[in-house]
Amino acid sequence: MTPSTSFRVAVLPGDGIGHEVMQPCIDVIDAAVRRTGNFELRYEWLEAGADTYRQTGNALPTSTFEACKRADAILLGAMGMPHIRYPDGTEIAPQLDLRFDLDLYAGVRPIRAIPGVPSLLKSPRAGDIDLVIIRESTEGLFASRGKGVIENDREARDTLVITRGVCERLFDFSFRLGAQRKANGRPGRVTCVDKANVFKSFAFFRQIFDERKQGFRDLTADHVYIDATALMLVLKPWEFDVIVTENMFGDILSDLGAGLVGGMGYAPSADVGDEHAVFQPSHGTAPDIMGQGKANPTAMFLSAAMMLDWLGRRHEVAGAVEAGRLITRAVDDAFRGGRLLTCEFGGDTGTKEVAGAVLDAIETSGRA
Ligand code: ATP
């Protein structure tokens, strides 16, 4: 049967372990699409990253950027290498350029305990961790990227920017996500994380949050300061549902969150705008483990699941939403009972073995 819908996916494996987790991810997506059907994905593999910069002098070639703009979704591995840098000493990070250039204001960072993945938290409630951090991704302190100044070797300055336009869209996005999660049995709590007790910019951030919450009265909307959030995320992470915060705070909290559920190899992400979206694992290129077959591809798989869910909802293709669910379920089934132990825990389950277990779970899912 000819599929009724075809999506174009721009595939940017990038550098380091980005390459190693991408092909297994495509295999996993294809297996899920075969099971749920009636749509197809057409992949366009594209060059970008530190290695591309080394070879061509441009980390994000125009042809790659244009192809990303034309695509229905962008799937990215990881980019950057500590030893390949711009002349000013900063690291190559075209994933940040994509966020700014495609206006991907909502950085979606789910932090969910996967059954069977060890947790460093002793509490039995660690298994209940299921929250999403929404990190604003186009302004905040990162608005100063490439614009910071050092004056006379005496003083350095980077400026944090908060705008009403971006905040309104960011908070509405967060409340809509809270409502969607509430419909699936989550508490429906959206927490604004800021430092409104000290900075004017954050008081403004909070004020806009309070304005926008009026449109979502079924949800619980509250505020927690960034420092208290760091504490609460370690003490009682299971109490959070949706957290929305500024770019730099979100950058830090999402790594903390990843640590709560097994590490960077378990933390998927999406950078979503009104027209485009990039899906990539939260981890970087991990030069320390590259080329050894050790990279945990789980975050990449879960990012692909988020992509399928986003495409399916946006274009009303139920099969794509189901394919996303199937991948997430297959990841849970593969790890359940502690069957796989990845390198983050000193185990020897590598990229190939995790991918094989997830593929098996996709094949057997729902079959008696
Ligand atoms: P960046 O500077 O972009 O954050 P990075 O590779 O230096 O990139 P992370 O991605 O945050 O840093 O990873 C930190 C460490 O966690 C890596 O050095 C690696 O040891 C481990 N790690 C990250 N991703 C994975 C993965 N997918 N599988 C196994 N270990 C990983």
Side-chain angles (χ1 to χ4, degrees):
M1 194 174 70
T2 314
S4 60
T5 312
S6 178
F7 295 119
R8 280 170 306 180
V9 178
V11 178
L12 286 73
D15 304 300
I17 65 166
H19 276 286
E20 299 170 32
V21 296
M22 189 57 88
Q23 185 58 55
C25 178
I26 300 292
D27 296 342
V28 161
I29 296 174
D30 286 345
V33 173
R34 275 196 299 277
R35 293 275 335 248
T36 55
N38 213 21
F39 73 101
E40 66 170 8
L41 300 179
R42 281 187 285 134
Y43 305 106
E44 189 174 0
W45 290 71
L46 299 161
E47 300 283 340
D51 213 38
T52 306
Y53 175 78
R54 196 175 47 79
Q55 290 173 32
T56 67
N58 187 354
L60 185 64
T62 310
S63 54
T64 296
F65 182 61
E66 290 302 321
C68 287
K69 276 206 291 193
R70 283 194 306 270
D72 293 300
I74 301 158
L75 196 59
L76 196 151
M79 292 181 187
M81 274 289 142
H83 62 284
I84 304 177
R85 290 178 183 251
Y86 291 118
D88 71 357
T90 59
E91 269 197 49
I92 312 297
Q95 65 276 28
L96 296 184
D97 298 323
L98 281 172
R99 282 176 207 162
F100 282 81
D101 296 343
L102 297 178
D103 196 19
L104 310 178
Y105 56 89
V108 184
R109 311 279 187 266
I111 306 294
R112 185 180 69 90
I114 297 172
V117 173
S119 171
L120 291 178
L121 298 182
K122 265 194 194 158
S123 166
R125 294 217 56 197
D128 298 336
I129 298 172
D130 182 355
L131 63 105
V132 182
I133 297 170
I134 306 293
R135 162 191 177 183
E136 195 292 311
S137 294
T138 56
E139 53 184 31
L141 191 53
F142 280 68
S144 188
R145 181 172 174 249
K147 298 183 192 147
V149 289
I150 303 175
E151 281 171 8
N152 303 324
D153 203 25
R154 288 184 174 275
E155 188 170 319
R157 237 173 277 130
D158 279 295
T159 305
L160 184 150
V161 177
I162 300 290
T163 67
R164 170 171 284 281
V166 167
C167 285
E168 287 183 350
R169 289 189 295 162
L170 177 80
F171 294 137
D172 287 355
F173 182 98
S174 307
F175 285 121
R176 283 197 303 270
L177 178 68
Q180 192 186 310
R181 284 167 59 85
K182 189 173 180 184
N184 289 321
R186 299 292 303 155
R189 175 185 175 202
V190 181
T191 305
C192 174
V193 170
D194 58 46
K195 194 73 184 169
N197 50 338
V198 177
F199 298 104
K200 237 181 195 160
S201 52
F202 281 112
F204 184 53
F205 188 77
R206 180 180 285 210
Q207 176 199 319
I208 301 167
F209 175 85
D210 287 343
E211 289 169 17
R212 301 314 285 185
K213 78 180 183 193
Q214 304 306 327
F216 300 87
R217 291 180 183 272
D218 290 350
L219 301 175
T220 305
D222 58 4
H223 324 108
V224 183
Y225 295 131
I226 178 64
D227 41 345
T229 304
L231 177 74
M232 296 313 292
L233 268 176
V234 175
L235 293 181
K236 298 178 182 175
W238 43 85
E239 290 194 353
F240 287 105
D241 184 5
V242 176
I243 286 175
V244 56
T245 190
E246 179 271 339
N247 207 339
M248 183 71 166
F249 288 168
D251 187 28
I252 298 165
L253 287 186
S254 23
D255 273 30
L256 193 166
L260 297 174
V261 293
M264 303 305 288
Y266 295 96
S269 86
D271 293 306
V272 182
D274 294 332
E275 302 301 328
H276 304 278
V278 173
F279 300 84
Q280 69 170 118
S282 296
H283 61 74
T285 53
D288 55 331
I289 57 161
M290 66 187 255
Q292 301 167 42
K294 284 184 182 174
N296 178 0
T298 307
M300 186 76 242
F301 298 167
L302 293 173
S303 304
M306 292 170 77
M307 177 184 81
L308 289 163
D309 181 78
W310 182 79
L311 280 170
R313 287 176 195 276
R314 186 172 167 84
H315 300 278
E316 296 182 357
V317 175
V321 175
E322 186 44 37
R325 282 199 199 112
L326 178 56
I327 292 176
T328 306
R329 261 200 324 267
V331 164
D332 288 6
D333 290 345
F335 280 93
R336 203 181 308 281
R339 282 194 287 263
L340 311 176
L341 201 62
T342 54
C343 70
E344 293 97 323
F345 302 103
D348 57 7
T349 310
T351 315
K352 227 183 185 170
E353 292 76 22
V354 175
V358 173
L359 283 168
D360 285 348
I362 289 174
E363 291 308 327
T364 52
S365 171
R367 288 196 174 129

